[in-house]
Amino acid sequence: MNFNLARSIEILERTPVVLQTLLKDLHEDWTMNNEGPETFSPYDVIGHLIHGEKTDWRDRTMMILEHGVSKTFVPYDRFAQFEESQDKLLELLLKEFEELRKANLNWLRSLNLTETDFDKKGIHPSLGQVTLRQLLSTWVVHDLTHIAQVSRVMAKQYKQEMGPWVEYFRIMNF
Amino acid sequence: MNFNLARSIEILERTPVVLQTLLKDLHEDWTMNNEGPETFSPYDVIGHLIHGEKTDWRDRTMMILEHGVSKTFVPYDRFAQFEESQDKLLELLLKEFEELRKANLNWLRSLNLTETDFDKKGIHPSLGQVTLRQLLSTWVVHDLTHIAQVSRVMAKQYKQEMGPWVEYFRIMNF
């Protein structure tokens, strides 16, 4: 499948609602547990997505369009949410993510990007040269893989309770 | 996390809506592609979940409650949906899954299961003795891991478009 802005926005605009549907009103046993040390709970993932809306995708898109390869992206802090979301209710975080995403997609649409823009380049602090097409594709993949992660983390909370069935679920050892 | 019926139903009752929110009105590039030979597309997963509602979870629960270890479960056909869903629109499958699940959960609630029931045993054709607690936990895990799978399969459609970022996404090689 080739990159396509409209099809990317199809995913990006539904992610906040998907996560609300998946997590709203769930018991904390599902939302606050993780996969072990240094891993994210579903709650942590929402904070991480909020941080991405504030500091990553939009800023890097602007950086590519305005500065090209003459400036390097600011490194992304994958653990910022542990400070930023402190004590906020999951419901509030889900709402905050929805609002930030809506604003960012309105902004993205307003750019009226062309195929030439998608080929423009920027400099990632570790990966080197990347294109806007790659950045926007990664934004979509980042959403989908975090939805997958949230579902997997919740599934793992029942790993001990499944008995012998666990061997049929390769994903439980991921 | 210990098995708990109410917390299991929290997940089981939202799965159809989660999948509708994730898949409705998406372009077929997202919903009809898979991860390679002998793997499921998101479309295939919905057919598989429908088949489970019709032939697996409810039947095996009844088998445990009515026959215990004196009868063996009917083996589950993990590929039945390739025939059964043929040519049905994804929207219709999502609706069908929602209705079957609703009926099965009404039935499950009507059983008024107790802790003693959860310890009752049945015979799985390959795994041997299993308890009702393990069966019901596996039903929940099955839902969540298929939501994870659907999200991962969609993410993989952009694998080529992400450029060097793909190395940060371990899940893309699962």
Side-chain angles (χ1 to χ4, degrees), chain A residues 5 22-23 25 33 39 41 46 49 58 79 81 83 86 90 134 136 157 171:
Chain A
L5 186 62
L22 187 58
L23 297 174
D25 305 323
N33 284 316
T39 66
S41 68
I46 309 306
L49 288 167
R58 181 171 170 156
F79 298 95
Q81 74 275 13
E83 222 160 277
Q86 233 176 356
L90 177 57
Q134 291 166 347
L136 297 175
Q157 307 313 317
I171 201 173

Side-chain angles (χ1 to χ4, degrees), chain A residues 75-91:
Chain A
Y76 183 69
D77 181 354
R78 294 196 302 119
F79 298 95
Q81 74 275 13
F82 291 114
E83 222 160 277
E84 286 177 8
S85 335
Q86 233 176 356
D87 300 328
K88 283 195 195 167
L89 284 176
L90 177 57
E91 258 67 30

Side-chain angles (χ1 to χ4, degrees), chain A residues 141-152:
Chain A
V141 169
H142 185 262
D143 271 21
L144 290 168
T145 56
H146 278 300
I147 294 170
Q149 176 190 27
V150 163
S151 313
R152 183 186 73 234

Side-chain angles (χ1 to χ4, degrees), chain A residues 56-122:
Chain A
D56 185 338
W57 311 107
R58 181 171 170 156
D59 286 17
R60 289 180 171 190
T61 299
M62 291 222 308
M63 186 91 92
I64 290 175
L65 294 173
E66 289 177 10
H67 301 285
V69 296
S70 69
K71 263 188 164 178
T72 301
F73 301 155
V74 178
Y76 183 69
D77 181 354
R78 294 196 302 119
F79 298 95
Q81 74 275 13
F82 291 114
E83 222 160 277
E84 286 177 8
S85 335
Q86 233 176 356
D87 300 328
K88 283 195 195 167
L89 284 176
L90 177 57
E91 258 67 30
L92 287 182
L93 292 182
L94 286 164
K95 202 73 207 151
E96 187 179 353
F97 175 50
E98 183 183 15
E99 281 159 16
L100 287 165
R101 174 59 58 88
K102 194 175 286 176
N104 280 348
L105 290 183
N106 284 340
W107 170 81
L108 182 67
R109 287 191 190 94
S110 77
L111 296 176
N112 294 310
L113 295 169
T114 63
E115 286 299 316
T116 321
D117 291 321
F118 299 139
D119 290 330
K120 288 181 179 162
K121 293 189 175 77

Side-chain angles (χ1 to χ4, degrees), chain B residues 78 128 157 159:
Chain B
R78 293 197 303 118
Q157 307 312 318
K159 193 173 175 180

